[in-house]
Amino acid sequence: MPSACDSLIEDIEDMVSSNDPTPHERQTARKSIIPRSRKKKENLSNEELQADSFIPGTQKIWMKTWGCSHNNSDGEYMAGQLAASGYKMTEADLWLLNSCTVKNPAEDHFRNSIKKAQEQQKKVVLAGCVPQAQPRMDYLKGLSIIGVQQIDRVVEVVDEAVKGHSVRLLGQKKDGGRRLGGARLDLPKIRKNPLIEIISINTGCLNACTYCKTKHARGDLASYPIEELAERARQSFQEGVCEIWLTSEDTGAYGRDIGTDLPTLLWRLVEEIPEGAMLRLGMTNPPYILEHLEEMAKILNHPRVYAFLHVPVQSASDSVLMDMKREYCIDDFRRVVDFLSERVPGITIATDIICGFPGETDEDFQETVELVKHYRFPSLFINQFYPRPGTPAAKMEQVPAHVKKQRTKELSQLFHSYNPYDHKVGERQRVLVTEESFDSQYYVAHNKFYEQVLVPKRTEFKGKMIEVDIYEAGKHFLKGQLVEDSKPFTPSIAAPLQKGEVSGLMKLFKFCALSSGISTSVSSVR
């Protein structure tokens, strides 16, 4: 019979003793803790803790995140709270694994990482969509889980895991019975890239796609209030961010649960963006963007908003879309693309396609091929269908594996047969530099259409808007050279945080100080 520690509990108070200190008390007390060291055979610093210490907040944590930008944002928040609480985010005593449930390979990597951690005698805490959707899976037994709406409690769960307890916190955030978008947006976080802030505007969606496992984890639509999102954007720019990504399972559905909509949010956020900084909108499904096309065209033409939209089509066959329960027909998708292409000249439309969905015939697949030939999407995510356990599509009659593989190959060959950027050579463009290329040879920038532009790796370009002449085009990139006599423009209103530095700490300090009756005169977020 499983112990109470291994059972699925609604809240962590069921596990923690009433005599235990609160998280705030622990955080305050840590500053004065001096662990007693053993007599040492080797010369160790007096500051160094022994490896078998169980004082929460003193261990090292290694974190791995799989999946979408929403999941990456959750990972940044969890890392920030743990670092603010004293944990070191490095090779580690405890592994925090933040999972993705979209595809079988992602879950396989997650499962293998759990096995590897256990083989190395590491303590493990699990997060993300896999354990949220199916917490009773055999390979998750006995392991601590932090739910997707409970990331603000990650320190408490890790503290208990360090002590050897197995805790599961999977509840929903609610206010007066209404489900909330998730944890507070002003929590400490460690941005993977100090120049880019990822903001989740809502969680869940209004669809019930037959192939989707994420719905099981993220649930129905729950949106954050507009002013909370605007405040998060404002704080980000005060910390040196120059680019904001809005993310969710379906940004187009934003606000339908709280009496507002996506265009209203975007116009409000634009007010917070300093000149030279940029906003990128995340994925939206066709049904919920159709009624906002006029306003969306105006917003995407705004100089501080990328003329970029990710609209997954998945298939060009109406019969396949019906089996997927996508709630639109192919003419709806064409209307979105055609309208925005006309009203937002040069716009980048990215899309997704699933090859070999159950019941897809050769004729259905050819309709998808013709769609790609017609629009020649510059950004196309091609996915071979994987049946996810527990979804209706997994119970449907499957397309043979060799057919799925061949269709995926054929569509990939079509995608690689055209070069979408050749006509851009010779153009002069303003681009925002935000990161380093994978090969470390260039800095990566993006132009107004969110096309990737590789520029010379010069330190003074990072986080700046620069003017370049395009001299080369590849399948996925452009290359640009700085225009002679032009000067980089700095959009940020503050210097960016250092890589690994915790965001929001000063705000947390001020809150704690006010709660303790301490007077502060801090005027800068830094």
Side-chain angles (χ1 to χ4, degrees):
M1 184 174 178
S3 69
C5 291
D6 294 325
S7 62
L8 184 67
I9 61 176
E10 181 65 23
D11 205 2
I12 203 163
E13 278 78 8
D14 297 332
M15 166 54 57
V16 183
S17 164
S18 60
N19 295 323
D20 282 356
T22 66
H24 174 60
E25 290 169 341
R26 280 201 301 273
Q27 186 171 331
T28 305
R30 279 185 193 123
K31 298 173 183 177
S32 60
I33 289 175
I34 304 176
R36 183 181 300 170
S37 60
R38 296 175 176 173
K39 292 183 179 179
K40 301 176 282 293
K41 294 181 180 179
E42 300 175 1
N43 290 327
L44 292 175
S45 164
N46 289 333
E47 299 292 325
E48 186 172 358
L49 283 172
Q50 298 302 318
D52 62 353
S53 169
F54 290 106
I55 301 172
T58 61
Q59 285 73 27
K60 298 174 182 176
I61 295 178
W62 180 73
M63 184 172 183
K64 171 71 175 175
T65 293
W66 292 266
C68 65
S69 54
H70 191 165
N71 223 36
N72 276 275
S73 176
D74 286 353
E76 291 180 350
Y77 274 121
M78 288 190 284
Q81 292 171 86
L82 290 165
S85 195
Y87 289 100
K88 294 179 174 61
M89 307 305 294
T90 181
E91 287 297 332
D93 309 306
L94 180 145
W95 287 16
L96 175 54
L97 304 174
N98 188 21
S99 62
C100 171
T101 194
V102 172
K103 300 180 190 177
N104 287 357
E107 183 170 349
D108 290 343
H109 285 302
F110 174 63
R111 185 189 295 110
N112 291 337
S113 294
I114 293 173
K115 183 179 179 182
K116 184 177 178 182
Q118 292 171 327
E119 288 171 350
Q120 296 181 25
Q121 304 296 308
K122 305 288 187 183
K123 291 181 171 63
V124 181
V125 172
L126 309 177
C129 291
V130 171
Q132 179 75 49
Q134 289 186 294
R136 301 187 189 278
M137 295 277 283
D138 284 344
Y139 72 92
L140 304 180
K141 283 183 178 177
L143 299 176
S144 291
I145 296 174
I146 180 76
V148 296
Q149 282 215 318
Q150 298 292 335
I151 60 172
D152 56 333
R153 310 291 293 280
V154 65
V155 173
E156 297 165 75
V157 175
V158 168
D159 282 354
E160 293 305 311
V162 165
K163 297 175 188 175
H165 298 155
S166 175
V167 180
R168 298 188 164 198
L169 214 171
L170 294 161
Q172 303 293 319
K173 297 286 187 197
K174 293 185 178 179
D175 180 18
R178 183 179 68 83
R179 185 165 175 263
L180 301 177
R184 295 194 339 262
L185 293 171
D186 61 351
L187 295 169
K189 73 189 300 188
I190 296 178
R191 298 184 182 96
K192 185 177 179 181
N193 184 336
L195 297 173
I196 297 175
E197 168 71 5
I198 306 173
I199 303 178
S200 170
I201 62 173
N202 56 267
T203 191
C205 68
L206 295 172
N207 291 350
C209 299
T210 55
Y211 57 82
C212 182
K213 194 71 175 287
T214 306
K215 177 80 172 188
H216 297 193
R218 298 284 181 178
D220 292 328
L221 179 70
S223 305
Y224 284 99
I226 286 178
E227 284 309 311
E228 287 185 25
L229 295 165
E231 174 58 29
R232 182 65 203 180
R234 187 181 306 117
Q235 178 191 337
S236 301
F237 290 123
Q238 289 173 345
E239 293 179 335
V241 161
C242 61
E243 186 170 290
I244 284 182
W245 296 358
L246 301 185
T247 184
S248 77
E249 283 64 57
D250 185 354
T251 60
Y254 170 80
R256 285 171 174 257
D257 57 317
I258 58 173
T260 186
D261 55 37
L262 181 62
T264 303
L265 168 66
L266 294 177
W267 284 124
R268 177 66 184 86
L269 290 179
V270 162
E271 296 174 14
E272 301 296 337
I273 305 172
E275 185 182 356
M278 296 296 288
L279 173 72
R280 191 193 82 174
L281 185 59
M283 186 272 287
T284 175
N285 285 311
Y288 306 111
I289 206 70
L290 273 169
E291 66 188 70
H292 301 308
L293 287 179
E294 289 276 0
E295 282 301 296
M296 288 305 300
K298 294 175 186 175
I299 291 165
L300 293 170
N301 274 312
H302 193 284
R304 295 193 290 277
V305 179
Y306 285 118
F308 168 89
L309 201 61
H310 179 192
V311 190
V313 65
Q314 306 301 7
S315 173
S317 163
D318 283 342
S319 62
V320 173
L321 291 174
M322 186 176 296
D323 288 341
M324 290 179 171
K325 288 194 174 178
R326 289 290 288 168
E327 299 185 10
Y328 59 87
C329 63
I330 193 59
D331 284 346
D332 292 331
F333 175 80
R334 289 179 180 274
R335 183 181 165 210
V336 170
V337 178
D338 292 345
F339 184 94
L340 293 177
S341 296
E342 179 184 344
R343 300 295 183 91
V344 189
I347 187 174
T348 296
I349 300 289
T351 196
D352 301 0
I353 288 172
I354 296 174
C355 295
F357 185 81
E360 183 186 63
T361 65
D362 288 339
E363 291 75 18
D364 293 328
F365 177 66
Q366 283 307 310
E367 289 183 55
T368 301
V369 169
E370 292 305 314
L371 183 82
V372 174
K373 285 181 178 178
H374 177 75
Y375 287 108
R376 295 166 67 91
F377 301 103
S379 184
L380 177 61
F381 304 95
I382 301 168
N383 303 291
Q384 181 176 318
F385 175 74
Y386 289 97
R388 299 296 289 129
T391 62
K395 301 174 184 177
M396 299 177 183
E397 186 175 349
Q398 303 296 306
V399 172
H402 72 278
V403 176
K404 291 193 289 186
K405 188 174 181 180
Q406 177 56 37
R407 289 176 184 171
T408 304
K409 181 180 178 181
E410 181 181 338
L411 198 61
S412 297
Q413 288 174 338
L414 171 59
F415 174 60
H416 287 285
S417 69
Y418 58 86
N419 295 312
Y421 303 133
D422 285 353
H423 66 287
K424 301 269 185 176
V425 174
E427 289 185 1
R428 180 164 290 185
Q429 300 180 349
R430 290 190 75 192
V431 299
L432 180 60
V433 184
T434 55
E435 53 196 315
E436 189 177 273
S437 62
F438 286 119
D439 62 6
S440 300
Q441 299 301 304
Y442 300 90
Y443 276 157
V444 177
H446 291 91
N447 60 20
K448 164 67 177 171
F449 311 106
Y450 203 69
E451 295 160 341
Q452 182 173 268
V453 182
L454 303 179
V455 300
K457 192 176 176 183
R458 288 167 50 179
T459 307
E460 65 269 27
F461 290 172
K462 199 75 174 286
K464 310 292 195 302
M465 188 77 78
I466 62 174
E467 194 171 29
V468 298
D469 288 324
I470 302 300
Y471 65 89
E472 184 181 334
K475 175 64 180 174
H476 300 287
F477 66 87
L478 298 163
K479 285 186 180 179
Q481 189 65 45
L482 185 69
V483 173
E484 191 173 353
D485 295 329
S486 69
K487 295 181 179 179
F489 176 79
T490 306
S492 304
I493 56 177
L497 302 180
Q498 296 300 308
K499 192 170 181 65
E501 190 175 349
V502 181
S503 158
L505 268 190
M506 187 54 66
K507 187 166 186 175
L508 179 68
F509 168 76
K510 284 198 269 187
F511 173 78
C512 293
L514 289 171
S515 299
S516 305
I518 300 172
S519 175
T520 67
S521 59
V522 181
S523 59
S524 167
V525 298
R526 294 294 304 279

